[in-house]
Each structure stands twice: as C-alpha cells, then as structure tokens.
Amino acid sequence: MTASVSDPVVRKFVAAVNAGDKDAFFADVLTEDATMSDDGSERDLAAWTEKEIFSPQANGRMEVVEASDDGRSLVVDYTNDTWGTMRTRWIFTVAGDRVSRFETGQAPS
C-alpha cells in the first residue's frame, strides 16, 4: 500500500494514520503550524483529524490507490467507521521532513 508512495514524508503520514498513532502524527509528521482543507474549506486541523481519523468512533485508514507528483498527490480509498469507504484525493506540501499542509476531498469519479 504505502510502497507506491515515493515521498518518504507522505509515506510517514499514511503510516501514522493507518497505525492510529496520533502522537507520532503531530510530533513527527506535521510541522507545528501545519494547515489543512477539506473539500476546499479550511478546517481546524486538530479538530478535523480527531473527528475524521483518530477518535475511536472514526478509526481512519488510507489505502493508496494512485500516487503522482513525486508521491505528494494521492488518490486514496479512505475508510473510517463514521462514513465508510470513499475515494478521496490528498495533496501534500512538504517542508523539510514534515508535512506543512494537506488538502483532501472527494476524488473525481
């Protein structure tokens, strides 16, 4: 799954999500001032990731379907216990060895 992601920073992002490792996600994957958007709307990163990825009710997981842009753009079958599985796109901005921004949303059919 993550083997198809060539960018090591994005690979760490996917691994932390799939492991449910919120501590590593915030301490080792994201910059301190990281930002994000969902379907084009800016979101509070901590609140969004708690609700959509890390809470026991969410249990988010990413199965990478396609990677492009040197591994910084992904199409993912994203699954959580709230919404089920949906095809999503993820675009990452990397600063050094961390993600400084990600944008996610529904992938085109």
Side-chain angles (χ1 to χ4, degrees):
M1 165 190 44
T2 58
S4 66
V5 180
S6 57
D7 188 286
V9 176
V10 174
R11 207 167 37 242
K12 273 194 325 188
F13 182 102
V14 173
V17 168
N18 287 344
D21 193 343
K22 184 167 122 178
D23 292 338
F25 186 80
F26 284 100
D28 301 330
V29 175
L30 300 178
T31 62
E32 283 187 29
D33 60 347
T35 61
M36 62 130 341
S37 69
D38 181 12
D39 281 328
S41 297
E42 292 299 310
R43 303 288 186 197
D44 175 279
L45 189 139
W48 188 91
T49 55
E50 181 63 24
K51 179 181 177 194
E52 300 293 338
I53 298 174
F54 294 114
S55 76
Q57 296 78 19
N59 188 28
R61 292 139 352 255
M62 301 174 80
E63 182 178 339
V64 178
V65 174
E66 182 180 310
S68 58
D69 191 26
D70 295 323
R72 293 188 179 178
S73 295
L74 306 179
V75 174
V76 169
D77 282 339
Y78 183 75
T79 303
N80 72 23
D81 294 345
T82 304
W83 304 107
T85 300
M86 63 189 90
R87 179 85 24 119
T88 55
R89 60 162 173 67
W90 297 72
I91 301 168
F92 298 90
T93 303
V94 174
D97 63 350
R98 296 182 187 241
V99 171
S100 62
R101 178 171 178 79
F102 67 92
E103 300 172 27
T104 187
Q106 298 257 352
S109 303

